[in-house]
Amino acid sequence: MDEIHLIRDVLDNQLVDGDRRPMGKVDGMVLVLRKDKPPRLAYLETGMTTLAHRLSARLGRLAERLGRKWGVRHGKPFRIPWAKVRHVGIDVEVDLKADDTPVMDWEKWLKKKIVGRIPGSG
Amino acid sequence: MKKALEITLGILTSIGGFLDVGAIATAVQAGASFKFQLLWVVLLGTICVIFLVEMSGRLAAVSRHTLVDALRERFGFNFYLIPFLAELVVDGLALAAEIGGVCLALQLVTGISFRWWALPVAFVLWLLLWKGTFSIIEKGTSLFGLITLSFVVAVFVLHPPWNDVAAGLVPSLPAHDAAQYWFIAVAILGALISPYLFYFYSSGAIEDKWNKNDLGVNRGVAAVGMSFGSFISLSLLIVSALVLFPRGIQVDRYEQAAMILTEPFGYWGFILFAASLGIACFGAALEAGLDQAYVVAQTLGWNWGENQHPKEDARFSMTYTVFIFVAALLIFAGIDPLKLTIFTMALTAVILPLVIFPFLILMNDENYLGKHRNGIISNSVVLIITVLAFVMAIVAIPLQIFGG
Amino acid sequence: MSCTQSPAAQLKTGLQQVASWTATARMAGEAWLKGSVPQAYAAQTLRAAQETLQEEAKALEEALPNSAAAELHASLLKQARSIAGVIGQMRAAVEKRDRQTLSHLLKQLEAEQQALHALSKRGGAEL
């Protein structure tokens, strides 16, 4: 089996869905600790909250609070199970449809409420 | 045949797009205050930017990443945040300065204060980005930008002493006002080595779907395009030296620069200067505005693309919309456009290492460029000039602020 | 951009500034007479020159007590005020499209410029 360098090839790389549509970046990776067994890479995480946590715990908590107030998915980052990862190359391809996931929530909201209402937006 | 056409278009783009408010303001000030003495700095800045632009294109073509994508991936978000914020701040100020340039040009022609033009200009910029495609913007900017060739024509009409011009192309120490000399030198470098130029170039390469086959085109466009473009900057400096320096006119406001083409061309010279200023800055504003949106969208992994309709990349479109109007507000508020320009150029020179060092590391990374990694020349030239610019900046800026 | 310059440097900068804006006003006036620049631009540039010279005069006045060369300094101050006055009249002439008066004022300005040049030469030697 080929090797995957997690930090180099996964973290901070572009996430794309099954149709190669951008889904954000891999902002974090979640390992699950198991009793008597080595930790397992369980999820990829994406979202502003995750990013904020990487900078500092305080910013992370602030991001969570703001997310709960205004966020479209209540400040919780979006997790993608590792099992859904189809290919790791230039981008990290996952077996999902971007529109079915929360990553496009802001995009959809902006499209509906603002951009779509401005003439000439296509 | 198609390659030749592509190269020609690319070169035209670079020529037309080379001049922006920073290049104009610094060239005019340099010529007025130091005659031909600072020509070598324009040359130095041009050489550096040729390498940077070529590198940026090569990175995009080979790794299929934009500079922003590659930087975040390679260095991780935490470290990348620093060049990211530096780039956003400098880009934002540059955008405001470009808008200021357009507004000033309109003031020259109409007599109506530049402040009143800020929001209308922002609206037109926004409209073009909203409705236009990358290709139209690229080609439109370059085509209309060719009006700046009037500076080159002016040089030949004015018959400069070519020996003196040649002497200016060689580095020299100032005979007077050393603090001001080095400060303008710093501003020139900051103006020519603007990060938004090579950030934007990599996004453009991806928009144009470049790959390894386009490396030759890339080299051609970077070298020839930027060289020709720099002729315009050099010409502007020479014209300023021939018209303003003998009269002892130093340029503290754009109004003082507006008359430089009236000596060779009379009334049309006045119009040509205003048109050159306005058009060059307008094109640069489009680029700077787009670039800010590219940088944010690529950092956060959003879908982006000027060729898409705004509805298809709502976050991207809203980003440039917000940035353009915020920048316009700075001008509407009455911030002096020339002072803002010079300040931004000086600041750029200071943050240059923050933006360029990671870029250089990336260009030597096998994972991104394979066998197309930087050679020793690219590395040395960029490194030396960047360090030079930074050292000059931290020495010259305090000296200028706190008096000779 | 020179908050804490030495008095000698301040005087030198002052000389440069006055010379620069005087020359600007002269170039703008001449250009308007030749029809090379529009009226609005000429008037605005002359106003800018006048205002800058008045500000410069004010700064010179405040710095006079600590001057590096009191006589030179006082002369410059007087000239700056005088030139500002001429430029003000030039602006009025442009706004009224009075070419004859402007021509006349330009000659006056030229004379002031020569005096300024002589002052600069003294300044170069003394400072």
Side-chain angles (χ1 to χ4, degrees):
Chain A
M1 237 205 100
D2 289 298
E3 294 179 334
I4 294 177
H5 296 246
L6 287 178
I7 305 287
R8 193 190 72 188
D9 298 333
V10 178
L11 187 62
D12 290 312
N13 276 41
Q14 180 72 43
L15 270 169
V16 295
D17 74 353
D19 300 315
R20 311 228 72 232
R21 293 193 66 208
M23 280 180 65
K25 301 274 189 185
V26 178
D27 296 317
M29 298 179 298
V30 181
L31 290 133
V32 152
L33 302 169
R34 300 177 290 178
K35 200 166 172 214
D36 299 330
K37 281 196 265 187
R40 184 176 65 91
L41 176 59
Y43 303 101
L44 299 179
E45 246 186 33
T46 178
M48 291 295 249
T49 323
T50 316
L51 270 182
H53 268 292
R54 275 171 74 183
L55 289 175
S56 85
R58 245 207 193 148
L59 275 175
R61 286 195 294 272
L62 175 64
E64 268 175 41
R65 268 208 314 274
L66 289 173
R68 270 195 294 274
K69 260 177 119 180
W70 293 322
V72 199
R73 55 174 180 273
H74 308 291
K76 288 204 208 66
F78 176 55
R79 287 185 173 185
I80 300 171
W82 181 249
K84 286 275 181 190
V85 173
R86 268 214 312 226
H87 180 64
V88 173
I90 294 179
D91 304 321
V92 176
E93 282 178 45
V94 294
D95 194 8
L96 291 168
K97 265 185 152 4
D99 280 323
D100 295 340
T101 70
V103 299
M104 299 301 265
D105 286 349
W106 273 107
E107 176 77 16
K108 288 190 221 158
W109 186 88
L110 276 173
K111 178 174 171 176
K112 189 166 132 189
K113 296 283 185 186
I114 302 184
V115 176
R117 292 197 180 149
I118 301 175
S121 55
Chain B
M1 189 56 227
K2 182 167 176 265
K3 283 285 179 238
L5 188 65
E6 254 189 81
I7 294 183
T8 314
L9 275 175
I11 290 173
L12 280 179
T13 308
S14 304
I15 299 175
F18 191 90
L19 221 62
D20 71 346
V21 77
I24 294 175
T26 55
V28 159
Q29 281 195 338
S33 297
F34 293 99
K35 212 171 182 200
F36 305 120
Q37 271 202 293
L38 284 165
L39 281 170
W40 63 275
V41 183
V42 176
L43 220 57
L44 203 65
T46 304
I47 292 172
C48 192
V49 91
I50 287 176
F51 277 93
L52 287 169
V53 163
E54 189 278 329
M55 280 164 42
S56 168
R58 182 167 20 115
L59 175 71
V62 174
S63 72
R64 315 311 300 279
H65 282 78
T66 65
L67 180 53
V68 169
D69 285 333
L71 281 174
R72 179 175 166 178
E73 263 181 41
R74 172 70 178 67
F75 293 100
F77 181 74
N78 288 32
F79 176 82
Y80 167 70
L81 191 63
I82 301 171
F84 174 61
L85 289 176
E87 166 61 7
L88 273 187
V89 167
V90 154
D91 214 352
L93 291 173
L95 178 59
E98 306 289 351
I99 292 177
V102 181
C103 296
L104 224 315
L106 286 165
Q107 178 185 309
L108 288 174
V109 171
T110 65
I112 298 172
S113 164
F114 70 92
R115 295 172 62 173
W116 295 118
W117 292 107
L119 293 172
V121 166
F123 178 73
V124 178
L125 284 171
W126 170 83
L127 194 62
L128 270 167
L129 289 182
W130 198 255
K131 298 290 298 173
T133 64
F134 187 78
S135 169
I136 290 179
I137 288 173
E138 208 181 16
K139 295 184 174 72
T141 318
S142 51
L143 217 61
F144 288 109
L146 289 174
I147 195 171
T148 54
L149 285 172
S150 47
F151 297 130
V152 181
V153 176
V155 169
F156 290 100
V157 171
L158 289 171
H159 298 299
W162 291 108
N163 289 334
D164 293 347
V165 171
L169 290 167
V170 174
S172 62
L173 293 173
H176 61 92
D177 294 311
Q180 198 193 9
Y181 180 87
W182 292 112
F183 182 76
I184 297 183
V186 167
I188 291 175
L189 289 177
L192 294 178
I193 313 177
S194 274
Y196 83 79
L197 266 177
F198 48 91
Y199 272 80
F200 182 83
Y201 192 81
S202 78
S203 298
I206 297 293
E207 292 251 35
D208 284 334
K209 300 195 180 358
W210 276 9
N211 56 45
K212 287 195 190 136
N213 296 326
D214 296 301
L215 288 178
V217 174
N218 176 44
R219 268 198 294 271
V221 168
V224 182
M226 296 285 144
S227 302
F228 277 1
S230 83
F231 277 152
I232 304 181
S233 244
L234 293 167
S235 299
L236 182 52
L237 198 161
I238 294 173
V239 173
S240 177
L242 292 170
V243 175
L244 299 178
F245 181 83
R247 291 177 164 85
I249 297 178
Q250 307 217 355
V251 178
D252 297 306
R253 289 174 64 145
Y254 282 115
E255 286 91 326
Q256 293 171 297
M259 295 183 280
I260 59 174
L261 290 180
T262 58
E263 202 176 281
F265 301 134
Y267 182 71
W268 285 111
F270 181 80
I271 298 295
L272 278 171
F273 178 83
S276 298
L277 178 66
I279 292 174
C281 294
F282 191 82
L286 282 172
E287 275 191 28
L290 252 187
D291 185 60
Q292 288 212 290
Y294 282 145
V295 169
V296 172
Q298 289 161 20
T299 298
L300 299 174
W302 301 344
N303 47 318
W304 59 271
E306 175 56 10
N307 287 327
Q308 299 175 18
H309 289 296
K311 263 209 279 227
E312 291 160 11
D313 47 19
R315 288 169 297 185
F316 173 73
S317 323
M318 283 313 295
T319 303
Y320 63 67
T321 305
V322 167
F323 277 128
I324 288 176
F325 281 102
V326 168
L329 283 176
L330 287 178
I331 300 302
F332 182 65
I335 296 184
D336 182 307
L338 185 56
K339 290 202 173 71
L340 176 64
T341 304
I342 301 299
F343 171 78
T344 306
M345 300 309 126
L347 184 65
T348 302
V350 172
I351 63 110
L352 222 45
L354 274 179
V355 166
I356 290 186
F357 289 167
F359 186 16
L360 271 183
I361 295 176
L362 204 53
M363 292 307 296
N364 288 284
D365 191 324
E366 211 174 20
N367 294 311
Y368 287 90
L369 289 146
K371 60 178 170 135
H372 298 285
R373 290 203 298 283
N374 263 10
I376 187 151
I377 298 180
S378 296
N379 284 336
S380 314
V381 170
V382 173
L383 193 64
I384 292 173
I385 299 182
T386 303
V387 169
L388 204 67
F390 177 72
V391 168
M392 279 205 290
I394 56 177
V395 169
I397 295 174
L399 267 179
Q400 176 73 345
I401 296 180
F402 298 112
Chain C
M1 278 233 284
S2 50
C3 327
T4 53
Q5 272 184 327
S6 71
Q10 253 185 344
L11 198 49
K12 228 177 118 210
T13 310
L15 273 164
Q16 266 179 351
Q17 273 284 64
V18 175
S20 170
W21 278 101
T22 306
T24 306
R26 177 173 166 191
M27 193 174 179
E30 286 172 353
W32 181 73
L33 273 183
K34 276 191 278 195
S36 295
V37 299
Q39 186 204 23
Y41 166 79
Q44 278 172 353
T45 307
L46 288 169
R47 176 190 290 277
Q50 186 189 7
E51 285 174 358
T52 311
L53 282 175
Q54 281 166 341
E55 278 168 28
E56 193 59 44
K58 208 160 138 234
L60 283 167
E61 192 176 27
E62 284 166 11
L64 193 53
N66 305 323
S67 173
E71 206 215 310
L72 195 65
H73 198 125
S75 299
L76 182 60
L77 173 57
K78 201 161 144 234
Q79 272 231 276
R81 287 226 172 93
S82 160
I83 295 175
V86 175
I87 294 179
Q89 290 176 44
M90 283 171 71
R91 177 170 58 84
V94 168
E95 279 165 2
K96 279 187 270 187
R97 296 182 197 267
D98 187 346
R99 304 171 66 91
Q100 225 182 356
T101 309
L102 185 68
S103 259
H104 182 74
L105 288 164
L106 270 171
K107 291 208 182 64
Q108 241 186 300
L109 195 67
E110 255 189 75
E112 298 267 15
Q113 252 193 330
Q114 280 170 13
L116 197 61
H117 190 67
L119 204 64
S120 274
K121 277 213 159 111
R122 269 176 58 200
E126 278 180 44
L127 290 171

